[in-house]
Each structure stands twice: as C-alpha cells, then as structure tokens.
Amino acid sequence: MEGIFFVKHVGQMQSITNQKSGEQLAKLSIVLSSKEVRSSDNGSYATDQDFCIDLLGERATGFTLQPGDLLSASISFAAHEYNGTYFQDVRLNRYVKL
C-alpha cells in the first residue's frame, strides 16, 4: 500500500534481544495515519486510519520524523505464526518526508 501518511506517534527507543542470534537490536514503535472516507446516514466524512509499525535495528535508529510530519510511504502487511497463533505485521518499506 502506498500513500500519504502523517506521523501520529513515535514511541521510546527500546533494546530487545533477537531470539535466534542473541544480539541486541534497537526497536521503535511508530503510528502512521492516513485519512479514510467513510459514509453514514448523514453523509460522507473523513476519519483517521492508523497503522502501528515496529522498526528494528538501523531502521529504528535512523527514523528521525516527529509527530505531525507528513511522508509518502510504502507499507506492506504480512502474517507470521508463533506457537500456533498468527500475528499481523505491518512493515514500513520505504518513505520520504514531504
């Protein structure tokens, strides 16, 4: 999915341990948002469509945008299985600040 988004939230940088390699990685959780058109009995209106994204490693340490910044970005969606339960992953593939 490609579009124009705004940075709604930038969390605190965290340090996590990679379960496979044991190395320490930086982790940063961000929320990107875009406007989505919805309709009701009273007509059409715009509302926020939010996407929570975890950035790891250099992607986390290199992310310098702040809440309110606009960007053009490509995000993708994937699912992964862990102990028989499936989880949704939202990934930030590439972006440029506007």
Side-chain angles (χ1 to χ4, degrees), residues 56-97:
L56 300 174
E58 291 179 9
R59 293 182 142 272
T61 56
F63 190 83
T64 60
L65 300 180
Q66 299 298 314
D69 285 347
L70 285 175
L71 64 152
S72 177
S74 171
I75 60 175
S76 62
F77 306 88
H80 73 274
E81 182 266 337
Y82 181 75
N83 289 338
T85 303
Y86 284 86
F87 297 91
Q88 180 78 50
D89 289 324
V90 183
R91 297 182 182 150
L92 177 62
N93 300 318
R94 58 189 179 277
Y95 65 94
V96 63
K97 182 179 177 181

Side-chain angles (χ1 to χ4, degrees), residues 3 6-7 17 21 30 32 34 46 56 59-60 72 76 82 91:
F6 67 93
V7 179
T17 302
S21 68
I30 63 170
L32 298 184
S34 68
L56 300 174
R59 293 182 142 272
S72 177
S76 62
Y82 181 75
R91 297 182 182 150

Side-chain angles (χ1 to χ4, degrees), residues 14-19 21-27 56-58:
Q14 300 175 1
S15 180
I16 62 170
T17 302
N18 183 315
Q19 292 180 346
S21 68
E23 73 176 298
Q24 293 292 310
L25 288 174
K27 176 182 173 184
L56 300 174
E58 291 179 9

Side-chain angles (χ1 to χ4, degrees), residues 30-50:
I30 63 170
V31 177
L32 298 184
S33 189
S34 68
K35 291 294 185 185
E36 176 181 272
V37 176
R38 294 194 182 161
S39 57
S40 69
D41 293 340
N42 296 324
S44 297
Y45 62 97
T47 188
D48 288 351
Q49 180 68 42
D50 297 338

